[in-house]
Amino acid sequence: RENEAVTWSGSCNDGRAAGNGTLEWIVEGKISGTFEGDMADGRLDGDGVLRLEVVKGKGFDRLAGSFIKGQPDGEARYDAANGDYYEGEFKGGQRHGMGYYKMVNGEEYFGDFENGQRHGVGFLIDPDGDAYIGQFTNGLPTGQGVFEGGDGSKYQGTFADGLPNGAGTYVAVNGDTYQGS
């Protein structure tokens, strides 16, 4: 692109970056990204550390781990410039498999991911102290689970699209109990 340069400090094979080295992206005279690690056929491939400026002047996101054909794949740690971080498995460039994700707003999730979303079984705590353990589908509590409110309330049962829905038991803060649908 205009006003962009790319440098590579490692070896090349057929004119493409190969082996271990350092790659830098320079836009308008300033480094906008680096990769230190293994390359194959001109793409990130193997272990390495990628740093990218996603919003100009707002710091760098950092991803350290394994790459296949330019995408994170396998165990890695992602640290966002805003303070969020994820440690766990990636597949095809997305969170996929078991992992731990902590957001700067205080939300924490430990469990299964699929295609970048909470999917499978997991444990979620929000900034208000509410906690959920159970099944997730497409990022939301769906299926069997237990919700404990930061206020002391509790619901155990079926969830759909993030909300209690179906058979379950609700216990209010004052001890009142409802069981049913």
Side-chain angles (χ1 to χ4, degrees):
R1 294 183 296 190
E2 191 174 329
N3 297 321
E4 179 182 54
V6 178
T7 66
W8 169 245
S9 70
S11 61
C12 293
N13 188 4
D14 291 329
R16 295 186 177 164
N20 192 277
T22 301
L23 180 69
E24 291 183 334
W25 292 271
I26 302 166
V27 177
E28 297 176 357
K30 295 183 180 180
I31 294 176
S32 65
T34 63
F35 176 73
E36 295 178 29
D38 299 321
M39 301 276 287
D41 198 28
R43 294 191 275 191
L44 288 58
D45 203 286
D47 293 334
V49 177
L50 175 67
R51 293 178 62 241
L52 292 175
E53 185 178 41
V54 290
V55 178
K56 192 171 183 175
K58 300 289 184 184
F60 289 80
D61 287 357
R62 180 182 185 274
L63 196 143
S66 298
F67 295 82
I68 295 177
K69 295 183 179 179
Q71 298 292 328
D73 206 295
E75 290 291 321
R77 176 166 170 136
Y78 170 74
D79 293 280
N82 71 356
D84 292 354
Y85 77 89
Y86 169 79
E87 190 164 3
E89 297 176 65
F90 282 82
K91 183 177 180 183
Q94 299 206 24
R95 293 182 299 270
H96 193 95
M98 182 64 69
Y100 173 72
Y101 189 34
K102 183 169 184 176
M103 298 177 69
V104 71
N105 70 3
E107 184 176 293
E108 296 180 67
Y109 174 79
F110 177 76
D112 297 321
F113 287 85
E114 186 173 293
N115 298 319
Q117 293 190 18
R118 301 173 190 135
H119 195 90
V121 177
F123 179 63
L124 175 67
I125 300 173
D126 76 13
D128 297 324
D130 297 339
Y132 171 82
I133 187 167
Q135 297 172 315
F136 286 81
T137 300
N138 298 321
L140 297 172
T142 302
Q144 294 297 308
V146 177
F147 171 84
E148 291 189 15
D151 63 359
S153 61
K154 184 177 181 177
Y155 171 79
Q156 181 172 352
T158 306
F159 289 77
D161 297 322
L163 298 171
N165 188 333
T169 301
Y170 173 75
V171 180
V173 176
N174 67 5
D176 289 349
T177 302
Y178 171 80
Q179 188 170 14
S181 292

